[in-house]
Every structure is written in C-alpha cells, then in structure tokens.
Amino acid sequence: ARLVEKRDGPAKRHPAEQRLQSALFPKRSITIGHPLKIAVFAHVRHPISEPFMGGMEAHCRMLCDGLRANGHDVTLFAAGGSVDDQFVPICDAPYEAVLPWVTWRGTEALAQYQRAAFEAGWAIVRAGGFDLVHNNTLFPDLIEWAARDRIACVTSHHVPPF
C-alpha cells in the first residue's frame, strides 16, 4: 500500500522560514518586457574566443549571443584575449597562460589571481546599474557578493568548484 499525502491548496510555510526566504532572496523590481542590462561573468581560465577550449567558453559565447538576440544589453566580463563587442577585460591574460592549472591548482597564487580579476569586474558592476548578473564561472564568491550588494544574480553551475 502507498501513502498519498493530501493537501488543500499550497503548502503553508512557517513564519520564520518566510522571513529567511525574504532575507536571502529579496524581491527586485525588474519589469520583463523591456531589455535588461546584463553582466555576464566568464571563467578566466581561457579566453572567450574561437576555437573554444571547452564547453564553458562555448556556452558563455552562446549565452551572450542569445541574450542579445532577445534584445538585452549584455556586457561580457572575461579574461584578456576574449573577443566580444561589449567585452570588459578583468585580467590581462587567462590564468592558464600565467599560472597553468596543472601546476598551480589549489595554490594561494591562483586563488588570488582569480579573486583580483573578479573583484575588478565586480567593482564595475556595482557602479554600472546592471539589472542582472549571470555568473558563468567557477568562482562562488560572486554569488555571495550579489547577495551582499542586493544585485540579482543567476549562476550556471557547470561542475563543482575546484
């Protein structure tokens, strides 16, 4: 025999859970129907340019192109060497060219290189009036910064951060 739960209408949340939900996910007044100003952050291991080094880079290119095709104003924040009409370099070179992952993985030097790049881009986002940030990186701090600064953010989660 199977037990089936019956509900009359939507599930009720505890008031404390409702307060927590409101604190973690504040409502933003973004009106759909007009173009959004979107900041897309790319992983800085490789440039966003063809031929793509992998799926993350290709995904980022298609994401920017698709959002623009739908009328949005998209700025790509990525490593130097990337190619895009609205490209903002957040570091001079991809970290693979400076601190190759196979050698520098897990080191403080590589962590600091990435942090400096994303902090540079984030400073522009905070000052730039963006409606939305799309985090297409493996850098989880962007999610915390968006929550702290109350900037709407979505994240494409490709693989566990390493």
Side-chain angles (χ1 to χ4, degrees):
R2 282 183 12 197
L3 295 175
V4 178
E5 181 181 340
K6 288 185 165 185
R7 289 190 179 169
D8 296 324
K12 302 286 184 186
R13 289 189 173 163
H14 187 275
E17 185 180 356
Q18 290 174 346
R19 286 191 302 275
L20 178 62
Q21 184 77 12
S22 295
L24 291 175
F25 304 103
K27 293 181 181 175
R28 299 262 314 192
S29 59
I30 295 176
T31 304
I32 302 302
H34 76 317
L36 298 177
K37 186 173 180 181
I38 302 172
V40 174
F41 276 82
H43 187 43
V44 295
R45 184 175 184 184
H46 302 290
I48 306 304
S49 62
E50 294 186 39
F52 299 113
M53 290 301 294
M56 286 186 69
E57 294 77 24
H59 174 265
C60 195
R61 161 62 41 232
M62 291 189 303
L63 174 66
C64 291
D65 291 347
L67 290 168
R68 288 186 186 120
N70 282 287
H72 300 292
D73 178 9
V74 178
T75 302
L76 173 63
F77 292 84
S82 296
V83 177
D84 188 83
D85 290 341
Q86 291 180 262
F87 163 55
V88 174
I90 57 175
C91 56
D92 291 335
Y95 76 70
E96 192 64 25
V98 179
L99 300 166
W101 185 81
V102 69
T103 303
W104 295 89
R105 175 184 181 205
T107 66
E108 186 61 28
L110 182 55
Q112 286 302 320
Y113 190 84
Q114 292 182 81
R115 174 170 287 285
F118 293 119
E119 284 177 343
W122 195 256
I124 296 167
V125 166
R126 288 183 69 197
F130 288 88
D131 297 308
L132 176 70
V133 170
H134 189 115
N135 174 15
N136 194 54
T137 76
L138 300 175
F139 188 74
D141 292 2
L142 286 174
I143 300 166
E144 293 175 21
W145 298 346
R148 176 196 68 204
D149 297 333
R150 301 181 62 93
I151 297 173
C153 179
V154 295
T155 296
S156 293
H157 188 69
H158 297 274
V159 297
F162 52 84

